[in-house]
Structure formats: structure tokens, C-alpha cells
Amino acid sequence: MRPASLAQPASIDEMFLYRLHRLQVAAGGLVTRLCEQTHGITRREWRLLAQLAGHEDALSSELAALAALDRVRTSRTVTRLVEKGLMERRPRPGDRREVRLRLTAAGRAAYDDLLPRIAAINRGLVEVLSAPQVAALDAALTALQRRAQDMLGGDAVDDEA
């Protein structure tokens, strides 16, 4: 690969987003298998479960924003998690149109089981980098995320799992 290929890609194989996609496919497959085999949930369901674990009593729209998913996909995924007994909807007293989401005991147990295992996958990936490289990567990802949101006008929504 040419040294300046990320800044001036000459093919899809040199494009930054494509390379990130390939990394996501490879590493994401590990997470997907783990989630499916141990708890029967998809990677998207894991994402919502994990976000809700840190933001109990969120509205579905808030959860969609936190997980960077559109509202329709979030609603469908929440419905599946409710059906699986991992999440529950709680209407607000006095206004049944507003529904707050909470993890069930089973949802909390799944989260508590998966988080350290997925964190270990993350550690396994970044352990090939030195501490300065990890710090530089973290700073670069933060800057790239900010730039992408600026380019979209702040409306970054992921349509992938």
C-alpha cells in the first residue's frame, strides 16, 4: 500500500471507511458469535442492551441517539429485546404515551456476562499497538468522529449493526 493511500486513495482497498469496515467485519464477527451463542442476541441488540445498561429509564428515542441507530430500527430491536425478556417498557404514570426502557434482571445478567468478554476482544485487538499508538488512535478516532458529525451537520446515524 502506498504511504499516502489513506489521504489520496486510488482504489476502494485504500479507502479509510472501507478499511474500517473490513476491521469491523473481522472483529465484529467475534462479538456477533459471542452474543448469539451465549445469549441469543444480535450485535445490534447487544448495542442497545449495553447503552441501556448505562442509561436506565431512557426513552426509545434517547436510546436510538445513544446507539447511533435510526428510531425505526431501534423500536424493532427494543421489541425483540422485550420479547426475549431482556428489556421492559414502563409507561410513565399519568402519560402512557411516554414509555421508559429498563433492563430486566435477565438483561442485566446478559450485560454483566458479555461486557467483560467483549472488552477482552477489544483488548486483544489493541494489544498489538504500543501505548503511544493507542493514545494516538484514540485521539484520531475522536477527531474523525467530530469531523464526520460536522460533515453530516451533526445528524450521524448508523444504518449498520
Side-chain angles (χ1 to χ4, degrees):
M1 190 166 295
R2 300 174 302 111
S5 63
L6 282 178
Q8 297 295 325
S11 72
I12 190 170
D13 293 323
E14 295 177 346
M15 290 186 187
F16 177 69
L17 292 176
Y18 185 69
R19 290 182 65 190
L20 280 180
H21 171 72
R22 291 184 53 96
L23 174 61
Q24 173 60 31
V25 167
L30 298 170
V31 173
T32 299
R33 273 197 306 274
L34 177 63
C35 289
E36 289 175 349
Q37 290 174 356
T38 61
H39 294 282
I41 62 173
T42 66
R43 193 171 66 230
R44 183 177 292 133
E45 289 169 342
W46 158 249
R47 189 187 319 180
L48 290 183
L49 196 75
Q51 285 294 340
L52 188 58
H55 301 89
E56 284 283 345
D57 287 325
L59 296 169
S60 183
S61 59
E62 294 168 339
L63 194 57
L66 289 166
L69 289 170
D70 66 61
R71 289 181 183 194
V72 172
R73 286 177 193 234
T74 299
S75 178
R76 290 179 187 149
T77 304
V78 165
T79 296
R80 286 194 306 271
L81 287 165
V82 168
E83 290 168 353
K84 291 177 180 184
L86 300 174
M87 195 179 282
E88 64 184 2
R89 291 182 175 105
R90 289 195 174 178
R92 189 177 88 178
D95 185 359
R96 300 191 59 81
R97 294 171 298 169
E98 184 177 290
V99 178
R100 296 282 175 177
L101 301 170
R102 296 185 58 92
L103 293 180
T104 63
R108 176 59 65 178
Y111 171 78
D112 289 343
D113 176 58
L114 286 169
L115 182 66
R117 296 164 84 175
I118 293 172
I121 292 169
N122 185 80
R123 280 190 306 278
L125 281 171
V126 299
E127 73 184 4
V128 300
L129 303 174
S130 67
Q133 287 174 317
V134 171
L137 177 60
D138 185 54
L141 289 172
T142 298
L144 289 165
Q145 182 69 38
R146 242 186 257 120
R147 177 66 175 143
Q149 287 175 305
D150 289 347
M151 291 170 72
L152 281 173
D155 294 329
V157 176
D158 178 17
D159 64 356
E160 286 293 313

